[in-house]
């Protein structure tokens, strides 16, 4: 039985500069997997290549089918959606309008929308407010909710805690925890290493475009390499 997501030998180049080299990773059904690494390691490029937003070489299989080379909308319609780095909401549009942009079609969108607002009361109260008026943590919830509008089986999340105060990061991870408990699989890029290792089942660590380490979250937390290179602590 294959994994839900299987990425093999993925490479991404920008105008001759190699940003991701021969990257292989997998996510099993129901798993939360972390992708760690310093700035410029190639984490966002890896996620963007998986969802078809940048050209890449290598193979990507999702739910036993090749999605290599498919356009992003096709990939989303198969159940793989990304929450982009920096949230990328439309600040002048309302929360309702931002969420509807994430739906695969209008009819299905309304159903998911009602369900999401039941689960995220903060968004329900403010549904007609411009997204730009929300706090950073609330905007991150909207960004996750927008991705959920496409009813994904696997969510790729790029730096959910970027720029957020610790209490807001708590709220975002609470939401991710609820989604995981409901069976949603996720691949999370995160620079808050301890936070994500406490959340995820397994993790990969990237540097200079390649995967240098992988293992269970417990193994990576205890790894001297992770302590030295990613946590900046001496061992
Ligand atoms: N559109 C682009 N055009 C040219 N080079 C790019 C582009 N996007 C990324 N790069 C380069 O590719 C490399 C990897 O970038 P990427 O954004 O994937 O890293 P990252 O691990 O997500 O970093 P960060 O933690 O800062 O978000 C970097 O050297 C970056 O400058
Ligand atoms: Mg990035």
């Amino acid at each position: 039985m294959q994994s839900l997501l299987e990425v093999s030998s993925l490479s991404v180049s920008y105008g001759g500069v190699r940003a991701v080299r021969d990257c292989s990773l997998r996510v099993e059904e129901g798993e939360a997997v972390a992708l760690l690494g310093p700035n410029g390691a190639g984490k966002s490029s890896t996620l963007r290549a998986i969802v078809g937003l940048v050209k890449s070489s290598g193979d990507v299989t999702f739910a036993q089918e090749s999605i290599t080379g498919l356009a992003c909308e096709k990939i989303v319609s198969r159940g793989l959606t990304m929450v982009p780095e920096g949230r990328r909401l439309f600040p002048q549009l309302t929360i309702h309008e931002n969420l509807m942009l994430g739906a695969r079609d209008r009819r299905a969108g309304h159903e998911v929308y009602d369900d999401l607002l039941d689960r995220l009361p903060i968004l329900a109260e403010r549904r007609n407010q411009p997204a730009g008026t929300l706090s950073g943590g609330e905007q991150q919830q909207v960004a996750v909710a927008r991705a959920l509008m496409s009813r994904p089986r696997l969510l790729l999340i790029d730096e959910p805690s970027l720029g957020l105060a610790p209490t807001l990061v708590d709220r975002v991870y609470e939401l991710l925890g609820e989604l995981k408990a409901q069976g949603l699989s996720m691949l999370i890029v995160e620079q808050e290493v301890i936070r994500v290792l406490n959340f995820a089942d397994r993790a990969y660590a990237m540097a200079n475009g390649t995967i240098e380490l992988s293992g269970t979250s417990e193994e990576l937390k205890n790894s001297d390499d992770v302590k030295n290179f990613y946590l900046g602590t001496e061992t």
Side-chain angles (χ1 to χ4, degrees):
M1 186 69 183
Q2 278 186 313
S3 309
L4 180 62
L5 176 74
E6 285 197 20
V7 175
S8 53
S9 303
L10 187 83
S11 294
V12 178
S13 296
Y14 299 106
V17 179
R18 194 59 81 84
V20 178
R21 190 186 302 268
D22 224 8
C23 167
S24 297
L25 57 82
R26 65 188 164 81
V27 178
E28 306 289 345
E29 186 90 57
E31 231 185 0
V33 176
L35 182 57
L36 312 174
N39 291 123
K43 308 178 299 293
S44 298
S45 299
T46 300
L47 295 195
R48 291 169 62 81
I50 293 170
V51 296
L53 285 173
V54 293
K55 279 222 304 220
S56 59
S57 64
D59 289 309
V60 184
T61 302
F62 179 66
Q64 324 325 314
E65 285 183 302
S66 173
I67 57 166
T68 311
L70 287 187
C72 185
E73 315 82 74
K74 291 256 162 59
I75 293 176
V76 169
S77 72
R78 291 183 183 211
L80 207 173
T81 302
M82 180 172 76
V83 182
E85 187 174 342
R87 311 183 251 284
R88 303 286 168 93
L89 299 177
F90 291 92
Q92 276 93 5
L93 299 187
T94 65
I95 290 166
H96 173 256
E97 288 163 338
N98 270 280
L99 289 184
M100 282 304 169
L101 290 174
R104 289 191 209 172
D105 64 71
R106 268 194 104 70
R107 180 195 286 260
H110 285 295
E111 271 174 40
V112 192
Y113 179 73
D114 291 341
D115 177 50
L116 275 173
L117 290 196
D118 283 344
R119 281 161 42 189
L120 295 167
I122 179 82
L123 304 188
E125 283 165 27
R126 310 213 186 157
R127 69 180 86 183
N128 294 318
Q129 221 171 291
T133 62
L134 298 180
S135 73
E138 290 160 354
Q139 289 189 29
Q140 187 65 59
Q141 291 180 54
V142 176
V144 172
R146 180 180 57 186
L148 294 174
M149 290 290 292
S150 65
R151 292 187 190 273
R153 278 175 79 182
L154 173 63
L155 206 52
L156 308 184
I157 312 166
D158 199 349
E159 306 221 16
S161 59
L162 190 71
L164 302 186
T167 51
L168 297 180
V169 178
D170 289 344
R171 179 62 198 112
V172 169
Y173 272 87
E174 224 173 273
L175 171 60
L176 298 183
E178 287 163 19
L179 297 170
K180 183 171 193 286
Q182 290 161 7
L184 185 66
S185 312
M186 38 190 107
L187 177 60
I188 309 170
V189 164
E190 181 62 273
Q191 292 204 33
E192 292 237 12
V193 174
I194 291 297
R195 168 85 65 169
V196 76
L197 287 179
N198 284 335
F199 179 79
D201 302 297
R202 282 189 308 112
Y204 295 89
M206 269 188 115
N208 299 316
T210 61
I211 304 269
E212 304 228 312
L213 284 171
S214 65
T216 64
S217 296
E218 213 52 42
E219 283 165 353
L220 265 77
K221 256 191 275 184
N222 295 319
S223 144
D224 287 345
D225 287 337
V226 170
K227 286 180 190 160
N228 287 330
F229 295 118
Y230 297 99
L231 301 179
T233 52
E234 296 298 319
T235 49

